[in-house]
Amino acid sequence: MKLVFHPLQQEQARLMLNWRYPPPYDRYNFDTDIPQATLQYLLDSQNAFYAILNPQTELKGFCSFGPDGQVPGGAYPDNALDIGMGIRPDLVGQGHGKQYAEAVANYGVTRYNTQRLRVTIAAFNHRAQRVWQGLGFLPVERFVKANSEETFVVMTRAV
């Protein structure tokens, strides 16, 4: 499956605001109480959001590179590129996560010329952890998110 990356456009961001994941993944739903602020965040070039498209330009998911992939409370030395990623809800759980994650990692390495990649994943999300471990990422830290009780795992991989 060939995937194409393009800076996130407003129409794509609006579609993403309506994505709804079932529990327990519903914590990944975008905040629709303040849609304009969320749109501005997604479209701000400093947040480095990209649309993940198939060759027919159909939106399959999104990714981000940099601080958006960090969670308050974790230790984030500057020696790695942080990755955030989401797949359209109707495509989740179909066994394509590794392909998406590998394409995102490869794009990040090429686009940002980095030597180390990092992902931060909610500890409950074993499915995502398995995907990234399958790409050679190893856990390096476990922490509780600031002002919450939610635990996260930080995983890294050298390029």
Side-chain angles (χ1 to χ4, degrees), residues 8-28:
L8 191 65
Q9 302 297 306
Q10 185 167 346
E11 179 182 323
Q12 295 159 337
R14 286 188 186 282
L15 287 172
M16 290 165 39
L17 287 180
N18 294 315
W19 290 358
R20 291 292 169 260
Y21 297 94
Y25 303 101
D26 56 344
R27 66 188 68 204
Y28 298 123

Side-chain angles (χ1 to χ4, degrees), residues 93-128:
Q94 296 183 9
H96 300 296
K98 187 174 179 180
Q99 292 173 304
Y100 287 105
E102 185 171 37
V104 168
N106 290 340
Y107 183 77
V109 167
T110 301
R111 174 79 173 87
Y112 293 94
N113 192 30
T114 187
Q115 296 302 306
R116 180 164 292 282
L117 299 170
R118 181 171 48 215
V119 294
T120 302
I121 302 168
F124 85 89
N125 194 342
H126 300 291
R127 182 168 59 191

Side-chain angles (χ1 to χ4, degrees), residues 70-76 143-152:
Q70 299 177 358
V71 174
Y76 293 99
F143 68 95
V144 175
K145 180 181 178 180
N147 302 315
S148 83
E149 296 180 11
E150 190 172 12
T151 303
F152 284 82

